[in-house]
Amino acid sequence: MLEIKGLEVCHGWVQALRGLSLQVSEGETLAVLGSNGAGKSTLLGALAGLYKIKKGDILLDGRSLSGKSPHYMVKEGISLVPERREIFNSLTVMDNLLLGAYHRYRSKKNEVIIDVENILNLFPALRGRENHPAGTLSGGLQQMLAIGRGLMARPKLLLLDEPSVGLAPLVVREIMSTLAELKKTGVTIILVEQNTAAALKVADRALVMERGSIVLSGCSREMMGDTRVQQAYLGRTRVVRPAAAL
Amino acid sequence: MDLSSQLLQLLFSGLTLGSIYSLIALALVTTFNITGVLNLAQGEFVALGALLAASLYTAGLPLAAAFLVSVALIAALGALVERAAIYPARESSALTLIIITVGLSISLRGLALLLWGTDPVSLPAFSSGGPLLVGGASVNLQTLWILGMAAVTMAVLNIFFELTYTGKAVRACVINRTAALLVGINPGAMSLMAFAGSGAIGAAAGIFITPVTLATYDMGFMLGVKGFVAAAIGGMHNIRGAVLGGFILGILEVYSAGLVSSGLKDAVALVVLLAMLMLRPEGLLAASGRKV
């Protein structure tokens, strides 16, 4: 359903994506791994329309979305849950969710109300806090709210940027199991994660990025067994750093 | 007049002046957070609104009609300015956009000079009758109109921001612009609305103060500066802070002018601005509205 062809994105003078090509099929969950600065967030940002595309194309169900603005991308069914959550702190939980459905709130209000109910079922911890300012929630609840807000757009493609960052292991597990739940609804997911083990558990397929390109990809089980992935991201064997080797 | 009634008298003047600054600051902050543009032409909307209403009134329109027509036309002017000058440059840097608004400000002032000349124009007070005596202070009736208008405007805006979906979408832009983009809010439409709204609020403020201060083609510049100082006091990301900053500035100005020297009035604003930028650049109410 999603096809990326030779995508190049620059942040000023720095080239963040170097001719990246990628295909994601309907209903698939893809994990994107890699160290800081590898271009993972840039990839998601470009898909959400946040960055100008220098070269290449993004095709969703065969239609080109390259160079479109974020609100257009949301309407087309791509929803990004950004890094650091970026919820609307001083608005209530309910308002955050309702704003998530911005492009269809006026035309399909009833549908939106039902969707809010579904989100609260998906994240029961948010129930009873609908009228709390979102900024007063704990980090875990804020992350759930951010995902919920992203889902309120009824995306075909959900992009998650480091949903586990800064959260307690128990909360991470809860969020990951919700993602597994989400997968069953048929939504296509691209998950950027530092928590490689957790990401590989949910994902069908994974790829590793380095300096703006894909250096490794395969199904999750293969990746979990790959020694390079184990060494660099899963910490199974001690990584010998140059400093330690001296 | 004893000291306490003099202080009370000055407080009324301060609140009146402050309410005008608040409205200008509120328009500035809202526009700034939605569009990233610090609109230095905001004061010009105040001046043009006042001048236009005075001309309409002289041409024979009743005062209320002159008010409404002028507010509507300046709102349209705000929208026009946004589409013609800001929207085509929306991808440019913040500095470029600020310089565009400086250019706009100079052009609009020049236009006002051409159309209205240098002589001040006036409007009659909105209601006749002598000043009211409150606790030893005499309160001009127009002062009450100004305070009332500011209160009504703020109440309406408060309802808009707190209770309507569109108002919440505007607040979402103010709180976190990136997130607002990501939920699909169209920044172009919001920007247009912000400039039209700024035009309407500015024009209304200008018309209400004209019976007291008269209107001249160049009245907007200083009001724009004061609005900016008020916004800096409250924190550029906070609508309530902007309103509070406006009242603080108005009261400070009037007390320093009334109790120390009238020459201090404008100096106070700039000293406060410097002090704020050095000591608390994030503004007084930053903690609640700050982006994390």
Side-chain angles (χ1 to χ4, degrees):
Chain A
M1 59 138 9
L2 176 75
E3 190 176 0
I4 301 172
K5 287 187 197 162
L7 196 64
E8 292 190 19
V9 173
C10 291
H11 296 310
W13 292 102
V14 184
Q15 186 158 11
L17 292 181
R18 301 163 187 266
L20 184 138
S21 296
L22 170 68
Q23 287 198 2
V24 185
S25 40
E26 184 105 48
E28 190 180 27
T29 298
L30 173 73
V32 178
L33 313 172
S35 53
N36 284 329
K40 304 179 305 270
S41 295
T42 306
L43 171 63
L44 294 194
L47 288 174
L50 286 179
Y51 305 124
K52 215 177 230 162
I53 288 161
K54 200 179 140 205
K55 233 181 184 177
D57 205 355
I58 297 168
L59 300 164
L60 187 73
D61 295 329
R63 281 189 304 142
S64 170
L65 295 180
S66 166
K68 299 286 195 233
S69 50
H71 66 272
Y72 188 88
M73 295 299 208
V74 176
K75 252 185 232 162
E76 286 297 307
I78 300 182
S79 182
L80 169 63
V81 179
E83 201 179 350
R84 284 175 287 120
R85 326 190 227 291
E86 310 277 4
I87 53 167
F88 303 119
N89 281 326
S90 48
L91 295 181
T92 64
V93 169
M94 182 57 98
D95 290 339
N96 269 272
L97 290 176
L98 291 176
L99 284 170
Y102 189 76
H103 67 282
R104 61 195 172 97
Y105 181 82
R106 287 180 188 83
S107 50
K108 294 173 182 156
K109 204 167 169 179
N110 295 334
E111 193 184 286
V112 171
I113 304 291
I114 295 167
D115 284 357
V116 167
E117 198 53 34
N118 290 336
I119 300 293
L120 292 175
N121 288 335
L122 193 65
F123 296 109
L126 290 176
R127 202 178 277 283
R129 294 188 166 87
E130 293 94 329
N131 294 319
H132 293 206
T136 62
L137 300 181
S138 67
L141 288 178
Q142 289 191 11
Q143 185 60 58
M144 293 176 196
L145 177 60
I147 298 173
R149 189 184 64 186
L151 288 170
M152 285 299 293
R154 286 215 172 166
K156 289 185 252 178
L157 175 63
L158 182 68
L159 311 172
L160 296 161
D161 199 348
E162 310 235 2
S164 79
V165 78
L167 301 181
L170 213 65
V171 183
V172 174
R173 204 177 306 161
E174 196 179 334
I175 285 178
M176 290 300 166
S177 72
T178 313
L179 291 187
E181 198 77 9
L182 268 178
K183 268 177 72 172
K184 290 181 201 153
T185 66
V187 62
T188 312
I189 301 175
I190 299 183
L191 171 65
V192 162
E193 255 306 337
Q194 299 272 6
N195 188 338
T196 307
L200 288 178
K201 228 175 271 173
V202 208
D204 307 307
R205 200 156 64 87
L207 54 87
V208 177
M209 282 180 70
E210 238 170 59
R211 273 177 258 131
S213 330
I214 299 170
V215 292
L216 204 67
S217 75
C219 76
S220 293
R221 198 164 302 155
E222 274 167 33
M223 296 293 271
M224 226 168 319
D226 190 290
T227 46
R228 286 166 294 180
V229 174
Q230 287 188 350
Q231 280 187 1
Y233 305 111
L234 290 171
R236 297 261 163 83
T237 25
R238 208 175 123 247
V239 182
V240 182
R241 294 199 178 81
L246 282 175
Chain B
M1 191 188 271
D2 61 37
L3 185 65
S4 68
S5 59
Q6 194 192 352
L7 288 176
L8 189 66
Q9 179 83 54
L10 290 173
L11 182 66
F12 278 114
S13 308
L15 287 174
T16 314
L17 196 58
S19 63
I20 296 301
Y21 294 163
S22 293
L23 288 177
I24 298 170
L26 184 147
L28 268 181
V29 166
T30 311
T31 311
F32 175 68
N33 285 291
I34 292 174
T35 62
V37 179
L38 184 62
N39 179 18
L40 294 179
Q42 177 64 42
E44 262 48 66
F45 293 153
V46 181
L48 287 171
L51 292 166
L52 189 60
S55 291
L56 290 170
Y57 179 74
T58 318
L61 248 64
L63 194 56
F67 172 80
L68 291 174
V69 171
S70 172
V71 167
L73 284 177
I74 301 301
L77 176 72
L80 179 74
V81 156
E82 197 273 344
R83 280 298 115 151
I86 305 293
Y87 190 74
R90 63 192 180 285
E91 307 276 332
S92 315
S93 70
L95 187 63
T96 309
L97 287 164
I98 286 185
I99 292 170
I100 289 175
T101 69
V102 172
L104 275 174
S105 161
I106 296 169
S107 322
L108 290 175
R109 212 177 312 146
L111 185 72
L113 178 60
L114 275 177
L115 291 175
W116 282 280
T118 51
D119 291 335
V121 297
S122 181
L123 282 170
F126 290 10
S127 52
S128 52
L132 291 176
L133 282 174
V134 181
S138 74
V139 182
N140 196 324
L141 286 181
Q142 188 65 23
T143 302
L144 295 180
W145 275 103
I146 296 173
L147 283 172
M149 184 269 313
V152 168
T153 308
M154 286 172 201
V156 168
L157 284 173
N158 199 43
I159 290 170
F160 172 68
F161 283 130
E162 296 288 337
L163 297 180
T164 69
Y165 189 73
T166 309
K168 284 171 186 168
V170 175
R171 273 173 74 202
C173 293
V174 175
I175 297 165
N176 191 328
R177 219 170 138 212
T178 312
L181 285 174
L182 289 176
V183 297
I185 295 174
N186 180 352
M190 286 289 164
S191 168
L192 189 65
M193 197 162 80
F195 270 83
S198 298
I201 292 173
I207 297 164
F208 270 82
I209 56 172
T210 297
V212 183
T213 65
L214 305 183
T216 56
Y217 78 98
D218 61 351
M219 72 193 283
F221 175 71
M222 214 51 199
L223 285 170
V225 170
K226 300 294 174 60
F228 173 63
V229 176
I233 292 174
M236 285 304 293
H237 295 297
N238 194 311
I239 296 170
R240 292 214 167 89
V243 171
L244 179 71
F247 282 109
I248 291 176
L249 182 64
I251 289 168
L252 269 180
E253 270 191 8
V254 168
Y255 273 122
S256 52
L259 299 176
V260 188
S261 155
S262 58
L264 280 178
K265 189 170 165 280
D266 292 341
V268 164
L270 299 174
V271 169
V272 169
L273 176 63
L274 282 179
M276 280 307 294
L277 292 179
M278 282 191 284
L279 301 175
R280 205 175 153 80
E282 69 277 22
L284 284 180
L285 293 190
S288 52
R290 198 173 185 180
K291 295 181 194 178
V292 184

